[in-house]
Amino acid sequence: SLNATGRPMLFSLCNWGGGRPNRWGHNVGHSWRTGRDVFAVWDEAAARKLHKLPGYLQSIMTAVEDADAAQRAVDGPGGFNDLDMLVVGLDGMTPYGIVDQCPPHLPNGTCAPGQYISRQQWGMVGGLTRTEQRTHFALWCMLSSPLMLGNDPRRMSAATRHILTSKGMLAISQDPLGVAARRVWRNGP
């Protein structure tokens, strides 16, 4: 039915990587999510310890780790693994959801494991440094992930605009082959 509209459209699938959409997504849509929702934190273990984030959120580096070689193998024109939105330009984010552990800033007695915590209760946490934001954008470009903004472009700072309009990075993202970069070396665990 999308083709019947006569207009070009992008059909993005989202089941948060469950059911291995990298194996069948290109037959149905143009992009498919490869993992959980990205949150504006770099190190997931540290963020979980500090903020007690809900399990459906993942860090930038966890999103990159989840986009393993098997998932990236199907990237190419018309079909892309989607690591989630870009969090470049966000000073932090407001999580919400059912918690396994209560956020440390909530007063005693106002939270229990298994309880829903609203955005208002949680408040703003996280945020990436400028270097982490530049690296996050470069990784999304190199991994051929769709570049969907999570920030408000009407309120974008000059520094954020500079990151998101990098001609070199956009050239990599828009490469006609659309093949994701591959890790060739790793230092550490």
Side-chain angles (χ1 to χ4, degrees):
S1 62
L2 290 177
N3 291 337
T5 66
R7 298 181 313 201
M9 291 191 190
L10 174 84
F11 186 44
S12 179
L13 309 172
C14 183
N15 64 349
W16 299 278
R20 299 184 181 216
N22 57 302
R23 294 186 177 183
W24 52 266
H26 61 280
N27 294 320
V28 180
H30 302 103
S31 68
W32 42 89
R33 287 283 299 277
T34 58
R36 297 170 285 146
D37 291 349
V38 168
F39 196 75
V41 294
W42 195 257
D43 180 320
E44 186 159 338
R48 290 210 181 285
K49 185 176 179 180
L50 179 64
H51 303 300
K52 312 298 186 219
L53 296 176
Y56 73 90
L57 297 173
Q58 68 179 340
S59 69
I60 299 300
M61 287 311 299
T62 301
V64 170
E65 292 293 327
D66 285 351
D68 64 18
Q71 289 179 311
R72 292 192 311 262
V74 296
D75 274 358
F80 300 94
N81 290 302
D82 177 4
L83 279 69
D84 199 8
M85 69 177 183
L86 290 163
V87 295
V88 175
L90 298 178
D91 294 326
M93 296 174 76
T94 51
Y96 62 94
I98 297 172
V99 296
D100 296 324
Q101 296 181 327
C102 293
H105 67 279
L106 292 181
N108 287 336
T110 62
C111 174
Q115 182 179 353
Y116 177 86
I117 304 298
S118 71
R119 290 179 191 265
Q120 292 77 21
Q121 289 172 291
W122 211 304
M124 183 82 68
V125 297
L128 302 176
T129 67
R130 287 287 175 220
T131 299
E132 289 169 342
Q133 290 182 45
R134 286 192 311 269
T135 306
H136 163 40
F137 185 65
L139 287 167
W140 261 232
C141 289
M142 292 167 52
L143 294 171
S144 299
S145 183
L147 304 177
M148 294 180 271
L149 300 179
N151 68 359
D152 183 344
R154 298 168 301 170
R155 294 179 176 82
M156 195 181 305
S157 71
T160 297
R161 190 175 303 106
H162 179 74
I163 293 169
L164 295 174
T165 59
S166 166
K167 289 182 181 181
M169 287 293 96
L170 291 173
I172 291 170
S173 170
Q174 301 304 306
D175 173 73
L177 292 178
V179 177
R182 304 285 188 262
R183 178 185 296 174
V184 295
W185 181 72
R186 181 182 191 129
N187 184 18

